[in-house]
Amino acid sequence: MYRLISIVFIISLLSLQSINAKEIDLVTFETSPIGKYLSYFPESGDTPLTLTDAQNVFNSGQVFTQNRQTISRGVYVEPTWFKTTINNRASLSTQYRLTIETPWLDYIDVYLVNDSGPLQHIKGGDYLPISKQPIFDRFFAMDIQFEKGLTDIYIRIATESVMPVPIKLSTVEDAIHNASNDKFQYGFLYGILVALALYNAVLFFSIRKQIFGLYALYILGFVVNSLSYTGYFYTFYTTHHGVHFQDYMDVSLMITYSVIGLHFGRALLETSKYAPRLNKTIATVSNTIPFIILSLFLIDQLHFATLVAFLFNTSFAILTIILGVVAVKAKVKVAKIYLISSVTAAMCVSLSTAAVAGIFPYNSLTFKAIEVGMAFEGILLAVALASRFRDAQRDKEQAEDFARKDELTDIYNRRGFKYATTELFTKFRQNNECFGLLLLDIDKFKNVNDDFGHATGDLVIIQVANLIANTVRKIDIVARWGGEEFIVLLPLKNEIEALRLAEDIRSAIEKLDTRYFDESVKVTASIGVCITRFDDENLLRSDTVVFEKLISNADHALYQAKKNGRNNVYIYNNETANIRDLKTEGILKVT
C-alpha cells in the first residue's frame, strides 16, 4: 500500500487551500468521507493542547481546509486537530457512526461540544487494546445520536506513522452494511490469493523447487500485510503489546513481502543469466533493507523506519518494472506477463494511495484497489510460473529422453530399455502373460572396424538397428545393449512367435549389404532367445530378478549360437535348462 504514498503526500500537501469548511446538514447529508467538511491545524510545541486551546485556534481562523474527501498529513507529522460542525435542524433521532478508517493511528481523542459546552469525550487509538475501544471494530468508531441544533466535533490525532485521515460519517445501519460488504470483498480477494499460495506451497514441498516456495511466501506475505494495515488482524488478535506495536508490525510486514517479491522476480526471470549487475544490486538491496529496519527498531526510531519502508516500497514498484523491461529485452518467455502484472499492481497501488490521500474519490473500491491489483498480479504470476514449470518439465523430459536414447542409432540404450520395460513387466505380472527376450550380437564385428574403419562400422550398426526396428512389431521394445549387441523384449502368445521373429531378423541381417566405396560389407548375427512367464516361481521374485534371469538365459543361448558356427538362433529351454538348436530341430520351418 505504501509504495508510492510518500509522493502522494507531497502532492497532497502542496494542494492545500484556505477555504471555509462547511457544516454538515444531516437532512441532506449522505454517507461519505467528510474531509471537505473538516478544518484542521497541527500542534506546535511539546505540550499537547487542551480542548479549550484548540477551540481558540479554530476560532482564530488560522487553520487549513481542503476540498477533498480525505485529508492526508504525511509521515511523522505533529499531532493534528480536526473540527467539523453537525447541523441537526430537523431533530433527527437517527443514530450515526463516526469512523476513522486508518487502523494504525496511535492516539485519538474525540470531543462533542454544543452551545452548552463539552458533551462527550471518547478515547481510542493503538495505545488502547481493541477490547477497550469505543466499538469492537478494525477502525476507530463511535456511535453518536446528535441533539437538535449544532454540534461541534473536535478530533485530535497523534501518531508516529503515516497520518492519512479518512473520516467517515454514516448511519449505524449503513456502517454495518458496509462493514459486511467489506468482509465479503476482502474474503473473496484473500481467498484467491491464499488458494494460489497454498497450491504453490504444495508444489514446493512436492518437487522442492525454490521458485514455488518464493511465490507462496510472497503472496502469503502480502495477505498478512494487508490483514495488518486494513485492521483485520487486530479484530481477532487482540493482545495489547503497546502503542506502536501495530506500526512496527505494518512496517515489518511491508518490508518482508517486498523483499520476498524481489527475490521471486529475480528467480522467475532468471536475471542472473543476462543481467548479473542488476541481479546483484537488487539482491544486495533486498538483503540489506531488513537489517536497516531492524536496527532502527532496536533504537526505537519508528519514524525513520517508516520513511525507509516507504522509500523501499516505492523502489520495489520501480524495480519490479525494471526487472520486467530488462527481461523483455532479453526475450525471457514469461517477461511480458511479469511486466504486465508489475505495471498493473503499481497502477492499483497508486490509485489506492491517491484515494487515501484524497486525490481520487475515497470509497470501498478505490481503497481496495491494491488488493484487487495484487489478486490480478498473483493470477498473472501464477500463469507465468505455470508456463515456466511447463517449460522446465518439457526440458526435463527431453533431457531424460535424450539420456535414454542411443546417440548413434536413436533407439533406446540400456538405461532407456530398462525404463521402457518397467510398465510392461507390471502388465505381464498382473495378467501372467508370456514374454520373451532376444539378445543379438553382430558376428565378428571387430573385423569390420579393422578392415573398413570405424565410420563404416558405425554405418553397419545404424543399418542393423534400423533393420531390427522395422522388423519387430510396434508392441516390441528394441534397444542397443552395448557395442554391437542389441536386445528386444517381446510380449508373446507362444514360443513360435519369438522364434519366427528372431529368424526374420537373422535372415534380414544376412542379406544386408553395406557399401564401402566399391566393396560390399556383409555381416551376420547370432541370436539368443529366452521365453518365460510370471508363473508360480517367478511371481515370488521381483521384476528386477526376473529381468536379470531372463537376460542371463538369453545370453547363454547367444553364447551357444556363436560357439556353434554363428549366424543362427538358439533358444534357452526353461524346463531343462538346455540350449536348443533351432536349425537341428527344424522349428524355424514352421509356417
Side-chain angles (χ1 to χ4, degrees):
M1 173 181 180
Y2 302 122
R3 298 178 192 172
L4 305 176
I5 200 167
S6 54
I7 298 174
V8 176
F9 284 146
I10 295 172
I11 297 172
S12 178
L13 290 173
L14 292 174
S15 62
L16 294 176
Q17 303 178 46
S18 295
I19 60 175
N20 294 324
K22 307 170 187 176
E23 67 179 29
I24 297 174
D25 186 347
L26 293 184
V27 173
T28 59
F29 179 76
E30 296 181 358
T31 296
S32 70
I34 59 173
K36 64 182 179 180
Y37 297 98
L38 294 170
S39 55
Y40 64 97
F41 71 90
E43 285 186 357
S44 58
D46 297 330
T47 305
L49 298 182
T50 64
L51 173 61
T52 302
D53 295 333
Q55 287 176 311
N56 291 334
V57 175
F58 281 112
N59 290 335
S60 71
Q62 301 299 310
V63 295
F64 296 99
T65 58
Q66 66 177 34
N67 193 27
R68 291 179 183 153
Q69 292 181 315
T70 301
I71 295 174
S72 293
R73 295 286 294 119
V75 182
Y76 193 58
V77 296
E78 302 87 349
T80 303
W81 283 85
F82 302 86
K83 177 193 174 184
T84 189
T85 300
I86 307 296
N87 187 352
N88 187 12
R89 57 186 173 86
S91 297
L92 299 175
S93 60
T94 306
Q95 195 168 31
Y96 287 84
R97 180 165 293 179
L98 181 73
T99 308
I100 303 177
E101 297 185 337
T102 302
W104 59 80
L105 301 176
D106 298 335
Y107 298 92
I108 300 173
D109 290 275
V110 178
Y111 301 88
L112 302 182
V113 180
N114 65 8
D115 292 339
S116 302
L119 299 173
Q120 195 174 9
H121 177 199
I122 302 295
K123 297 181 178 182
D126 281 356
Y127 86 102
L128 289 175
I130 193 170
S131 58
K132 294 184 179 180
Q133 300 287 341
I135 294 176
F136 192 93
D137 193 86
R138 64 191 179 105
F139 301 130
F140 171 87
M142 58 179 290
D143 291 341
I144 310 169
Q145 186 169 335
F146 295 103
E147 297 181 357
K148 182 179 180 181
L150 300 178
T151 301
D152 293 328
I153 302 177
Y154 294 88
I155 304 172
R156 182 184 183 273
I157 299 176
T159 186
E160 289 193 22
S161 186
V162 189
M163 195 191 288
V165 191
I167 302 176
K168 182 182 286 186
L169 184 67
S170 60
T171 64
V172 171
E173 182 181 358
D174 284 346
I176 294 173
H177 176 73
N178 291 336
S180 297
N181 284 342
D182 283 346
K183 289 178 181 178
F184 174 79
Q185 292 166 7
Y186 276 115
F188 178 74
L189 294 172
Y190 292 152
I192 293 174
L193 293 171
V194 170
L196 290 171
L198 292 180
Y199 173 74
N200 283 274
V202 170
L203 287 178
F204 168 73
F205 286 111
S206 299
I207 62 178
R208 299 294 178 181
K209 290 289 186 180
Q210 183 188 43
I211 188 70
F212 297 104
L214 286 173
Y215 175 87
L217 289 175
Y218 175 50
I219 299 299
L220 288 176
F222 173 80
V223 171
V224 175
N225 182 44
S226 178
L227 286 169
S228 177
Y229 74 69
T230 55
Y232 281 110
F233 184 81
Y234 298 95
T235 61
F236 57 84
Y237 181 73
T238 59
T239 303
H240 190 56
H241 294 289
V243 64
H244 297 310
F245 176 72
Q246 183 164 344
D247 299 324
Y248 285 125
M249 180 67 76
D250 288 344
V251 171
S252 300
L253 292 173
M254 180 170 57
I255 290 297
T256 299
Y257 102 86
S258 298
V259 167
I260 296 172
L262 287 175
H263 285 308
F264 168 73
R266 293 190 307 114
L268 176 69
L269 301 175
E270 298 180 307
T271 316
S272 60
K273 293 182 178 179
Y274 51 86
R277 288 187 179 179
L278 175 63
N279 183 71
K280 185 176 181 180
T281 299
I282 292 177
T284 302
V285 171
S286 299
N287 294 330
T288 303
I289 287 294
F291 290 101
I292 295 175
I293 295 295
L294 178 61
S295 300
L296 292 172
F297 283 174
L298 292 175
I299 61 176
D300 198 23
Q301 294 295 317
L302 175 61
H303 56 289
F304 285 124
T306 305
L307 286 171
V308 171
F310 287 160
L311 291 174
F312 178 68
N313 274 266
T314 301
S315 302
F316 170 56
I318 296 171
L319 287 173
T320 54
I321 294 174
I322 291 174
L323 280 173
V325 171
V326 172
V328 169
K329 290 183 179 180
K331 297 182 179 180
V332 178
K333 186 172 182 180
V334 298
K336 290 182 180 179
I337 297 176
Y338 182 84
L339 181 59
I340 292 172
S341 69
S342 299
V343 172
T344 302
M347 291 173 61
C348 290
V349 167
S350 302
L351 175 61
S352 183
T353 304
V356 171
I359 295 175
F360 292 147
Y362 179 92
N363 54 50
S364 178
L365 293 179
T366 55
F367 183 71
K368 294 185 185 73
I370 184 171
E371 278 76 23
V372 174
M374 191 63 191
F376 182 74
E377 181 184 34
I379 292 171
L380 286 184
L381 291 178
V383 171
L385 201 54
S387 175
R388 168 88 181 274
F389 179 65
R390 285 194 301 271
D391 291 344
Q393 286 295 102
R394 185 178 63 251
D395 292 343
K396 180 182 177 182
E397 290 171 0
Q398 289 176 347
E400 289 177 347
D401 186 61
F402 181 78
R404 296 177 187 133
K405 289 293 184 69
D406 177 61
E407 186 176 1
L408 179 64
T409 61
D410 200 36
I411 61 176
Y412 283 123
N413 55 22
R414 183 179 293 226
R415 177 182 178 183
F417 182 79
K418 290 182 178 180
Y419 174 82
T421 55
T422 300
E423 290 186 3
L424 270 181
F425 265 75
T426 302
K427 178 175 176 288
F428 293 153
R429 183 183 291 274
Q430 289 174 346
N431 300 330
N432 194 19
E433 293 182 2
C434 181
F435 58 100
L437 197 74
L438 307 186
L439 201 58
L440 179 150
D441 184 83
I442 301 175
D443 297 326
K444 298 182 179 180
F445 183 73
K446 183 177 181 300
N447 293 342
V448 176
N449 283 332
D450 292 343
D451 295 342
F452 302 103
H454 286 279
T456 303
D458 288 346
L459 181 59
V460 170
I461 292 288
I462 294 171
Q463 289 181 333
V464 169
N466 291 337
L467 187 150
I468 296 172
N470 292 330
T471 303
V472 299
R473 304 160 301 178
K474 290 183 178 180
I475 59 174
D476 302 329
I477 297 176
V478 182
R480 185 182 178 190
W481 199 238
E484 64 273 19
E485 279 192 325
F486 296 85
I487 192 168
V488 184
L489 185 73
L490 311 163
L492 300 169
K493 292 182 180 178
N494 53 56
E495 182 182 80
I496 298 302
E497 287 185 82
L499 301 180
R500 285 177 176 171
L501 185 60
E503 177 58 19
D504 288 344
I505 294 173
R506 186 205 64 76
S507 176
I509 292 174
E510 187 179 30
K511 298 174 183 177
L512 187 65
D513 186 8
T514 303
R515 305 302 301 176
Y516 177 76
F517 295 101
D518 294 332
E519 292 188 65
S520 175
V521 180
K522 305 287 287 185
V523 294
T524 60
S526 300
I527 302 175
V529 182
C530 180
I531 311 298
T532 190
R533 69 172 62 244
F534 277 102
D535 52 19
D536 292 340
E537 179 182 356
N538 280 333
L539 283 173
L540 299 176
R541 299 172 175 176
S542 68
D543 290 351
T544 302
V545 171
V546 174
F547 183 67
E548 290 177 352
K549 184 65 176 175
L550 189 63
I551 291 177
S552 176
N553 293 341
D555 192 52
H556 283 308
L558 174 62
Y559 174 78
Q560 291 298 324
K562 297 183 77 66
K563 182 179 178 181
N564 293 289
R566 299 184 178 87
N567 192 27
N568 50 33
V569 177
Y570 274 61
I571 186 169
Y572 182 89
N573 190 317
N574 288 289
E575 295 179 359
T576 63
N578 293 324
I579 309 299
R580 295 159 55 196
D581 182 347
L582 303 184
K583 288 183 178 179
T584 301
E585 298 181 16
I587 294 177
L588 297 180
K589 296 180 181 179
V590 176
T591 58

